[in-house]
Structures are given as C-alpha cells and as structure tokens.
Amino acid sequence: MTKLTLGPVVYHWSADKRREFYARIADEAPVDEVYLGEVICSKRAPFHERDLPETIERLERAGKTVVLSTLAEVMLKRERKATGDIAAMEAPGIEINNAAGLYARGTRPHRIGPFMNAYNEATIAWMAGQGATHVSLPPELPGPAIAIATQAARALGLGVEVQVFGRVSLAVSARCYHARAHGRTKDNCQFVCEDDPDGMPLRTRDDAPILRVNGIQTQSESYVNLLPETGRLVGDGVTHLRIMPQDVDMVGVAHLFRAVLDAQLPVTEAEVHLRGLCAGTGFSNGFYHGQAGYRRIANATPA
C-alpha cells in the first residue's frame, strides 16, 4: 500500500505550536510516517529539540514511523556537529539533506531528502551504493522523469517519495532573507521569521503574489497539489507521497489524501474540500506537467 508521509516543519513555529501540532498528528492524522527535525536554520533548533524525545515517543506509540531530517545547508562548525550527531544515530531513521550528512553517515542505511537533487538514474544508483534505502525526488521533476527515476530506484530496492502537497522549496541561500527584509543581520535576526508561520509573502511591482520567504529558504507562493495525479504516481511505482506542513488544518489535508488513495472519495470532491481548507492560497502542479511550476494544469497529460 502506498504510504502517506508528513514532511518536517520548515517554519519557525513556537514550541507550543509544534507540540500541539504533533499531538494532533499522532492522535488524528492518517499518515504512516513523520519526518522531524530542523532543516532550514540551525538557530531555531534549541526552541524545539528538547521536545523531540517526547514527540517521537508519542508518534511511535500512535503507530507512526519517525524519521529525523538533517539540515539542508551546513556552513558552521556547530551545524556540522549537529548533522554528525544525527548521522551517528541508529534509531529512528535518518533523512539526509546535505553532503555533510552523507560524509558523516558513511555507508550505513539512510534516506535521501529532497534537497539532495536526485535528478537521474545514475545519481540514484550512486546514492544506493552509498547506503541509501529511500529517495525523495526533487519537486520540480516532471511526471515522465519521475516515472523513469522511480523505475530505476525500485530496481535497486529503494523506496521513492514525491511531494504532493505544500509549498515547494525553490532555493536555500547563505543569506537570511527574512532578517534582511527587516533591516537585521543573520546573526542578529531576533527570530523575526516566527512572525510568518506560513512564510513571508513577496509581491511583484504590480502587487501580485509571487514567492514566499522562510529564513534562508525561497518557496513557491502556491501550494503544490497533486491530488489528481496521485493515481499516476502510484501507478508509476512511487511508494511514498509527502504532504508538507503548512499553517492550515493538516489533519484535514491528510484525511483527504488518504481518502483518495484508498478510493473512498472522488478526486473532484476531495479537491473541493481541500480548497476550503486552504482558502486564500492557490494550487499549482506545473512542474509535474513540464510547465512553469506556478501554473495549475487541469486534466493534462504530464509532459
């Protein structure tokens, strides 16, 4: 059965907000696997890492598989150490998002996160040779490329994961856009990113929404929504479908994707409910259909 996964929280949510969020996920969300950990900014980690043991225990008690994700960008000594500490763990599972994590993990089993750019069969084969057991494909891959990459990964015995909901990560930078936008430096950001629990909106000169900023990360303005494409993804052999936490009712989102996967709800009806949960935010699936990522393509065959 195709597994539904919940990616790591990439925003600077307060410790209380995170605790409440994961309590609901454990008790109410029909997800099979949950990724935890700080992947964007190491300065945020102390606010919530003390809760990790309790969060892991609660999720596992609820029957969820827990995976720890590493930072997407490693630049400082303390970030190398934090990545190395996670890479040294034997349990729970580890998802690596940076080459520093690959170095620290060696050839012990691990998962490859979406920041590692597994774009083709050769890269996936190399990663499998280094101990990878699972790969999360980059979200900008079009449908045919996903099918080819999935076939190659499955032939090597790897699980394959594709993001089907939530803002897409487009880039990470050494600079903190959030701090700069508020006239602050990265070292003296005063955690201003906490004011934007779903990312900081960017608009064009014509006042049209275009992107979101999350610390050092640039994201899409729209939420990727591949509800209509889930059948194709499953048919192509994708084993895990990832929904990314946004500042909406994620339990409700998970129920809709699970209902579509289990053929308990028509896609058209699920789409109506999903729009209601995400009111005010547009949907996109352009990347999957080989077009500009921000576009929403209806009833299209992937290019």
Side-chain angles (χ1 to χ4, degrees):
M1 183 179 73
T2 304
K3 293 185 177 181
L4 187 61
T5 73
L6 180 72
V9 173
V10 297
Y11 304 105
H12 186 30
W13 290 356
S14 69
D16 287 342
K17 184 179 178 74
R18 281 180 181 255
R19 280 192 293 267
E20 181 179 349
F21 175 74
Y22 284 117
R24 284 201 68 206
I25 293 300
D27 296 343
E28 304 174 39
V31 296
D32 303 289
E33 301 181 356
V34 179
Y35 292 83
L36 300 175
E38 182 57 56
V39 298
I40 299 302
C41 178
S42 61
K43 291 176 63 177
R44 301 172 179 174
F47 288 90
H48 55 82
E49 62 185 1
R50 71 189 69 180
D51 294 323
L52 271 177
E54 182 179 346
T55 300
I56 292 171
E57 191 277 333
R58 182 162 187 169
L59 288 166
E60 290 182 335
R61 184 160 29 101
K64 323 292 189 192
T65 297
V66 174
V67 181
L68 292 183
S69 298
T70 69
L71 285 165
E73 185 174 80
V74 177
M75 297 182 63
L76 305 174
K77 184 176 181 179
R78 59 178 167 79
E79 293 171 343
R80 292 197 300 272
K81 182 180 184 305
T83 299
D85 289 344
I86 294 176
M89 300 174 68
E90 295 302 323
I94 305 298
E95 178 184 68
I96 292 175
N97 285 303
N98 185 281
L102 287 182
Y103 176 80
R105 187 66 175 174
T107 57
R108 288 174 293 167
H110 58 268
R111 298 186 179 199
I112 296 294
F115 294 93
M116 286 297 295
N117 296 339
Y119 284 117
N120 55 56
E121 309 96 300
T123 300
I124 292 170
W126 181 86
M127 289 173 168
Q130 301 301 304
T133 61
H134 182 105
V135 58
S136 293
L137 298 177
E140 63 266 34
L141 283 182
I146 289 174
I148 293 170
T150 298
Q151 183 179 19
R154 299 294 290 136
L156 295 166
L158 275 63
V160 180
E161 191 159 349
V162 171
Q163 180 181 335
V164 293
F165 175 82
R167 288 201 168 88
V168 169
S169 180
L170 300 174
V172 291
S173 170
R175 291 179 178 269
C176 178
Y177 303 119
H178 242 117
R180 186 178 179 86
H182 288 82
R184 302 171 187 175
T185 65
K186 185 176 181 181
D187 290 338
N188 189 33
C189 64
Q190 301 174 48
F191 301 99
V192 68
C193 53
E194 188 174 5
D195 295 339
D196 298 298
D198 214 45
M200 181 178 71
L202 293 185
R203 306 182 74 85
T204 67
R205 290 187 176 183
D206 296 328
D207 201 33
I210 184 171
L211 296 168
R212 292 273 169 148
V213 165
N214 171 41
I216 65 169
Q217 182 186 39
T218 304
Q219 299 179 311
S220 61
E221 161 61 27
S222 57
Y223 293 162
V224 161
N225 168 20
L226 297 186
L227 256 178
E229 290 80 11
T230 53
R232 294 177 189 166
L233 291 168
V234 173
D236 287 336
V238 174
T239 59
H240 295 65
L241 301 180
R242 179 180 295 208
I243 58 176
M244 289 298 295
Q246 304 294 158
D247 197 25
V248 299
D249 179 7
M250 290 304 300
V251 171
V253 171
H255 274 288
L256 291 174
F257 274 89
R258 187 74 263 172
V260 169
L261 282 172
D262 294 345
Q264 295 177 348
L265 191 66
V267 171
T268 52
E269 186 177 341
E271 286 259 281
V272 171
H273 291 301
L274 190 60
R275 288 192 191 97
L277 292 176
C278 305
T281 301
F283 292 150
S284 58
N285 61 357
F287 282 139
Y288 181 84
H289 293 285
Q291 300 193 32
Y294 71 90
R295 294 188 180 277
R296 179 66 175 166
I297 313 299
N299 302 318
T301 300

